[in-house]
Amino acid sequence: MQVELGAEWSLMLYTDGLIEGHVGEGRERLGQDGMVEMVRRQFAEGLRGETLLQAAVNEVRRLNGGELADDVAVLLLDRSA
């Protein structure tokens, strides 16, 4: 599939270790929807680039109550006009 990205865009790739972190004390996980919601909020707050990546990983760790059990890798590609 080909997608026209336009003049400004961002693409975040991440391993499942990031979205499989727990949210609070129970067994609920962050999941893809939770990750998208969190990153959209952080982006709306003005976070970009390395700051956005670090904030996302830190928030996932905080929600999990500490370090994540699985591998975590995140890559952000972006282009601004």
Side-chain angles (χ1 to χ4, degrees):
M1 174 187 291
Q2 188 171 351
V3 177
E4 182 68 36
L5 296 175
E8 293 188 46
W9 53 267
S10 296
L11 174 67
M12 181 182 281
L13 306 170
Y14 51 86
T15 59
D16 63 345
L18 200 61
I19 61 173
E20 289 180 350
H22 290 97
V23 181
E25 299 287 326
R27 302 294 303 156
E28 181 183 354
R29 296 188 184 270
L30 179 62
Q32 288 179 323
D33 292 340
M35 180 71 180
V36 168
E37 181 180 317
M38 179 186 70
V39 170
R40 280 187 178 153
R41 177 181 40 78
Q42 292 171 337
F43 194 81
E45 292 170 359
L47 300 179
R48 303 289 188 275
E50 183 70 27
T51 305
L52 175 63
L53 290 178
Q54 193 61 52
V57 172
N58 287 342
E59 186 165 344
V60 170
R61 285 182 178 139
R62 183 186 60 75
L63 290 169
N64 190 57
E67 284 300 320
L68 299 158
D70 200 357
D71 64 308
V72 173
V74 187
L75 172 68
L76 177 66
L77 303 171
D78 62 9
R79 177 179 180 207
S80 31

